[in-house]
Amino acid sequence: QGQLAESGGGLVQPGGSLRLSCEVSGITFDIRAMAWYRQHPGEQRESIAQITSGGYTNYADTVKGRFTISRDNAKNTVYLEMNSLKPEDTAVYYCYADGGYGGSRYLEVWGPGIQVTVSS
């Protein structure tokens, strides 16, 4: 049901910045919240930033103060501004749409993921 498309990833030096974009299309359920997750190789996928339909934001301690999640409703796009990047930020980043409970299932959509590499 719908899809998310991440863009803006790539290679950046430590201390640098990068902005990820997530374009939302075709989603018919009401989105309660959007989020960014990331996954290191061999590790559990973790939520790092969330923004609710009301505009409230929340961040994982590992990125708090460095990353900012925002959205542009007119463009159906969610952003993740990443500053002061560290090598440990290297991961595949995923966009996520949370629709909550709908009927007999949970309504959600994942993006395919995009690589971010922080290295000298």
Side-chain angles (χ1 to χ4, degrees):
Q1 194 84 2
Q3 63 185 69
L4 307 175
E6 301 103 341
S7 62
L11 175 65
V12 65
Q13 293 185 335
S17 299
L18 208 60
R19 188 180 77 163
L20 302 182
S21 298
C22 173
E23 184 178 346
V24 181
S25 62
I27 294 180
T28 58
F29 57 79
D30 290 330
I31 300 174
R32 299 191 316 171
M34 297 290 298
W36 287 96
Y37 284 70
R38 70 183 182 187
Q39 186 171 26
H40 301 286
E43 298 184 6
Q44 188 90 356
R45 189 176 298 182
E46 61 174 340
S47 176
I48 57 171
Q50 305 167 32
I51 183 167
T52 71
S53 61
Y56 296 100
T57 59
N58 189 53
Y59 301 91
D61 289 340
T62 50
V63 307
K64 192 174 299 181
R66 299 188 298 120
F67 291 12
T68 302
I69 187 171
S70 62
R71 69 186 182 204
D72 186 335
N73 290 332
K75 295 182 178 180
N76 294 316
T77 302
V78 178
Y79 303 96
L80 184 67
E81 182 71 32
M82 303 182 292
N83 300 309
S84 302
L85 284 162
K86 306 173 181 179
E88 50 263 47
D89 294 318
T90 296
V92 176
Y93 285 72
Y94 298 88
C95 188
Y96 173 75
D98 182 2
Y101 293 99
S104 61
R105 61 190 180 95
Y106 199 88
L107 304 173
E108 60 184 8
V109 178
W110 289 94
I114 191 166
Q115 179 70 42
V116 171
T117 302
V118 184
S119 179
S120 299

